[in-house]
Amino acid sequence: MNLILIGPPGSGKGTQAVRLAQAMSVPAISTGDILRKAVQDGSPAGRAAKAVMDRGELISDEMMTDIVSARLDEADTRPGCVLDGFPRTVNQAVALDRLMDGRGHVVVAELVVPEAALIRRLTMRRVCRRCGINAQPESPACRCGGSLVSRADDREDVVRERLRVYECATRPLAEFYGARRMLHAIDGTLAPRLVTARIMNAIDASLGLELQPTTVCKPASASPWRA
Ligand code: AMP
C-alpha cells in the first residue's frame, strides 16, 4: 500500500505522513526533510538546493526524481510508503508512475485548507533547530531540548510565493489523479486525528473498490428469471 499526500504548504502533510506511516507500518518519505538534511550536511546537492528553497521555488524534476528513486530502492519501502511532498509537478507524477510500477496499490489524498488558514499556520509555525520536527503549539522548547525557530521559507513573502508556485505547478495534479479516480479530497481544517481517520477510510474504500469483482456473469440458463 502506497499513499501519496498532496496539498499546499501548511496543509498538514508532514503531520499526517508521520501518523499514517505509523498506522500502515511503512516509512514516511518527506522530500522537504531529505533536502533540509542535505542542506544541513552541506553536501553539494544541499548547497545547490538551499537558495532555491529559501526563495520558495521548486527544485528541478530530474533532481527530485533521482532522490525519490534512490529512496524507493531502499528495502524498507518494499511493503509501501507514504510520500509527503512528491510529486509536486505533473512531470514528477509521470516519473513516479514508472517508479511505482509493480509496487502495489497507490492512493492519493489531497488535503484541502483555505489560503488564509495556510498563511496563518505557516507564519506561526516553529520547528526544532536540532531535530527539525514541528513544535507543539505554545511549547517553549522541543521535547529533545532543541530550541524552536521559524523555517527560513515560512516568512510571509516566501509563504505567498510557495502558495503561488503550488497553484501553478502542483494544483494540476488533482486533475491528473482525479481523472484516474485515485484522488480523495480531505478537509484539512479538521483536527489531525480526524484527518488521519478520513484518509484511512479513503484507503479502505479504495481497496474495497479494487477488490470488488468487475463483473459477475452467470450462464443464461442459470438465471432464475428466465422462463
Ligand atoms: P516542504 O517541506 O515539503 O514544504 O518542502 C520545502 C521545499 O523543498 C519546497 O518549497 C521546495 O523548494 C523543495 N521541495 C520539496 N519537495 C520538492 C519536490 N517534490 N519538487 C521540487 N521541490 C521540492
Side-chain angles (χ1 to χ4, degrees):
M1 165 52 70
N2 300 279
L3 173 67
I4 299 172
L5 287 175
I6 62 175
S11 58
K13 296 188 301 298
T15 302
Q16 293 303 323
V18 172
R19 297 173 70 105
L20 289 154
Q22 217 163 33
M24 293 160 60
S25 303
V26 297
I29 301 177
S30 155
T31 46
D33 283 352
I34 294 173
L35 290 167
R36 280 184 288 278
K37 169 92 176 37
V39 170
Q40 215 167 29
D41 293 348
S43 68
R47 279 200 299 275
K50 183 172 177 2
V52 179
M53 292 167 74
D54 284 354
R55 288 197 302 271
E57 295 168 7
L58 295 184
I59 309 296
S60 74
D61 291 335
E62 293 70 24
M63 179 169 164
M64 294 315 302
T65 303
D66 286 350
I67 288 174
V68 172
S69 171
R71 181 64 186 88
L72 289 176
D73 277 345
E74 290 177 38
D76 64 333
T77 66
R78 237 168 260 153
C81 65
V82 178
L83 280 172
D84 156 21
F86 186 94
R88 255 176 158 101
T89 65
V90 170
N91 279 342
Q92 291 180 14
V94 171
L96 184 61
D97 270 354
R98 285 196 302 274
L99 297 176
M100 282 290 156
D101 198 24
R103 283 177 169 267
H105 198 68
V106 181
V107 175
V108 184
E110 179 192 21
L111 300 180
V112 181
V113 177
E115 183 172 301
L118 296 171
I119 294 174
R120 200 171 48 245
R121 282 183 185 184
L122 289 171
T123 52
M124 291 176 64
R125 172 162 73 177
R126 298 290 175 273
V127 297
C128 175
R129 189 196 292 277
R130 190 189 296 167
C131 70
I133 68 166
N134 284 358
Q136 296 296 314
E138 278 140 45
S139 55
C142 181
R143 288 197 193 104
C144 80
S147 56
L148 302 180
V149 290
S150 270
R151 263 171 52 173
D153 58 354
D154 280 347
R155 249 185 24 224
E156 186 167 340
D157 56 328
V158 184
V159 165
R160 288 188 187 277
E161 174 62 8
R162 289 164 67 199
L163 292 174
R164 193 193 63 76
V165 169
Y166 182 83
E167 283 304 315
C168 304
T170 312
R171 175 79 65 200
L173 289 182
E175 202 176 313
F176 180 89
Y177 288 120
R180 299 161 166 217
R181 303 170 64 87
M182 293 166 76
L183 185 76
H184 300 264
I186 307 285
D187 180 353
T189 64
L190 299 171
R193 67 184 170 78
L194 295 179
V195 176
T196 308
R198 291 202 179 185
I199 297 175
M200 294 297 283
N201 286 344
I203 292 172
D204 286 348
S206 80
L207 278 174
L209 277 180
E210 180 146 287
L211 296 177
Q212 295 273 325
T214 43
T215 23
V216 179
C217 219
K218 283 187 182 163
S221 59
S223 167
W225 295 283
R226 272 185 179 254

